[in-house]
Amino acid sequence: RRLWLAFTALSAFSVFRTIFSNFIKRRFKESASDSSVLLQSPPPTAWISPESVADAVSPGGRAEEREQDIVTENDLAHLLHLLEGKDGEMEWQRMMERTTSNMSYQAWRQEPVSGPAIYRSRTVFEDATPEVVRDFFWDDEFRPKWDTMLAYFKTLDECPCTGSIIVHWIRKFPFFCSDRDYIIGRRIWEDGKTYYCVTKGVPYPGLPKRDKPRRVELYFSSWIIRPVESRKGDGQLSACEVTLVHYEDMGIPKDVAKLGVRHGMWGAVKKLHSGMRAYQSARKTDTSLSKCALLARMTTKISCDENISSPGRVLREDENDQSTGIIKRKNDNSLNWKWIAIAGTVALAFGLRSGVIGKALLVGAGQRIGRR
């Protein structure tokens, strides 16, 4: 009887594996066909080249950074380096392109040999100003109204000189994962109507790590926000472009994280878009600003207009090593039985729903009775 149960289980597992593999392949083909019209590489964008960042920031700002080293111009240079990466580095792989009546969205991905995948997106909001979009991304008091994953937030520290702040987030994850804990440093640089919003994971001795929720230490999520011409073709800069670069190590196997991002990306973008429009409407009727929105107005000015150019050369070798070293981590190729068990649970549920398990057990039982 035990031998029969073992063989039946192996047969059922083989069926589940085939069904699950076919399901993933089919969804991948559908996703690939949806993005077939996407450009091979991201469209060109004008921004400050990395090597000019140090010269563009005022000397007084550099002294202030030394006083409170939360988010510095090196982090801004790292953002620009990721956007300008070339000279034999990895190409951006296209993921998707979507367009609605008042928003367009494009997304790409890079996959380093070690470390998490890096995502880049370009979103254009029609009839939106950079200032409102900037405040929207910074406003943690409004965020729970559209971001259902944010369970808790608190501002831990502020720097009145540079505008840098440290916030504490707890985000809700699916039932098979513990919630995730973030300590995030933020800072905004400003050049005219263009805003460079840098956020990253930072240490905070006053709030040590715990077993639960799990601390996400490797985190980088930053935007470039600027006005662009509307698709109406009237020559007016009435639209707002947001270029995002994001990566984080959530403690989830890379393939599982990639699958989740691929299939949840467009739903998350639609939630963000509806949240931004709700925030935009609220700002029209309520002139008072939240504390988070007021902090977003504390920016570091970049004064050298001549440094605005199309992407130039990448960082110098020593700066490049420092920046790229942030996203490199030991690549663990060992089997993670926790995630195998989760995949097996998903396959089991799918098999029960489709009746495949019942058929497999009936066939096994019939063969057993026939042998009797």
Side-chain angles (χ1 to χ4, degrees):
R1 181 177 303 174
R2 292 176 181 174
L3 186 60
W4 171 78
L5 287 174
F7 277 111
T8 302
L10 285 174
S11 300
F13 179 77
S14 178
V15 172
F16 302 156
R17 184 176 60 181
T18 302
I19 293 172
F20 190 71
S21 177
N22 292 337
F23 174 75
I24 294 300
K25 289 179 181 178
R26 184 169 67 254
R27 293 301 299 270
F28 179 80
K29 289 180 180 178
E30 291 173 358
S31 178
S33 62
D34 289 342
S35 61
S36 60
V37 298
L38 193 60
L39 297 175
Q40 293 294 330
S41 60
T45 305
W47 48 62
I48 299 174
S49 58
E51 66 273 9
S52 65
V53 171
D55 297 329
V57 179
S58 62
R62 252 179 259 161
E64 293 162 355
E65 282 183 357
R66 286 193 294 271
E67 292 179 9
Q68 186 157 343
D69 188 14
I70 300 173
V71 182
T72 71
E73 61 189 47
N74 288 335
D75 300 306
L76 174 58
H78 178 52
L79 166 64
L80 301 176
H81 172 69
L82 290 175
L83 290 170
E84 297 183 356
K86 47 189 177 181
D87 295 337
E89 295 185 6
M90 295 173 297
E91 296 291 334
W92 291 99
Q93 304 171 19
R94 60 188 181 185
M95 291 185 66
M96 70 164 56
E97 179 177 22
R98 298 286 190 276
T99 302
T100 67
S101 59
N102 57 357
M103 186 264 290
S104 62
Y105 177 78
Q106 297 169 310
W108 299 266
R109 180 182 65 215
Q110 277 188 0
E111 296 188 46
V113 176
S114 61
I118 305 172
Y119 297 92
R120 170 179 180 172
S121 66
R122 176 179 180 267
T123 309
V124 177
F125 300 108
E126 293 291 324
D127 301 316
T129 64
E131 290 76 17
V132 169
V133 175
R134 174 203 64 195
D135 296 351
F136 166 70
F137 280 117
W138 236 240
D139 202 331
D140 288 342
E141 295 179 32
F142 188 84
R143 179 178 284 268
K145 296 181 180 180
W146 62 271
D147 185 358
T148 56
M149 290 185 66
L150 184 62
Y152 171 85
F153 71 89
K154 181 180 180 181
T155 300
L156 300 176
D157 202 357
E158 306 170 20
C159 177
C161 298
T162 65
S164 299
I165 61 175
I166 299 178
V167 298
H168 180 208
W169 277 9
I170 297 179
R171 295 182 67 81
K172 293 182 291 186
F173 270 58
F175 69 93
F176 52 80
C177 291
S178 62
D179 292 346
R180 294 303 191 261
D181 178 63
Y182 297 79
I183 304 295
I184 301 173
R186 294 172 168 174
R187 186 174 174 184
I188 300 177
W189 282 265
E190 175 185 351
D191 181 77
K193 291 289 185 177
T194 300
Y195 299 95
Y196 302 81
C197 309
V198 178
T199 73
K200 67 169 188 175
V202 296
Y204 193 77
L207 199 62
K209 293 189 296 182
R210 297 176 292 174
D211 293 336
K212 290 184 179 181
R214 179 171 179 171
R215 178 69 53 85
V216 175
E217 296 179 283
L218 180 59
Y219 177 86
F220 187 86
S221 187
S222 302
W223 309 265
I224 297 178
I225 303 173
R226 68 184 188 119
V228 293
E229 186 175 346
S230 170
R231 70 171 71 161
K232 300 172 186 176
D234 55 6
Q236 300 297 315
L237 299 179
S238 58
C240 179
E241 177 193 74
V242 180
T243 302
L244 166 70
V245 174
H246 177 95
Y247 61 81
E248 63 179 294
D249 185 0
M250 299 179 288
I252 297 175
K254 185 183 290 188
D255 290 339
V256 176
K258 282 167 49 182
L259 184 64
V261 170
R262 175 178 290 277
H263 292 287
M265 178 177 287
W266 180 234
V269 172
K270 288 191 291 186
K271 284 185 178 180
L272 183 146
H273 182 221
S274 62
M276 197 283 294
R277 295 303 178 184
Y279 188 78
Q280 188 179 41
S281 299
R283 286 284 293 268
K284 291 179 180 178
T285 58
D286 187 2
T287 56
S288 61
L289 295 177
S290 68
K291 183 178 180 181
C292 297
L294 290 172
L295 290 172
R297 300 190 170 193
M298 298 174 59
T299 63
T300 301
K301 298 294 190 295
I302 299 177
S303 57
C304 297
D305 293 338
E306 64 271 13
N307 289 320
I308 300 292
S309 62
S310 59
R313 66 177 181 84
V314 296
L315 294 173
R316 294 184 294 273
E317 184 175 358
D318 55 341
E319 295 172 331
N320 186 18
D321 293 341
Q322 181 181 3
S323 299
T324 55
I326 299 176
I327 63 173
K328 289 184 179 179
R329 289 293 184 272
K330 182 179 179 181
N331 190 21
D332 185 6
N333 294 318
S334 60
L335 289 176
N336 191 325
W337 292 105
K338 174 184 174 182
W339 295 106
I340 292 176
I342 292 171
T345 302
V346 174
L348 180 64
F350 183 80
L352 284 171
R353 183 177 178 183
S354 60
V356 174
I357 292 178
K359 293 177 182 178
L361 291 176
L362 285 175
V363 170
Q367 292 176 349
R368 184 184 176 205
I369 293 171
R371 287 194 295 271
R372 285 185 176 179

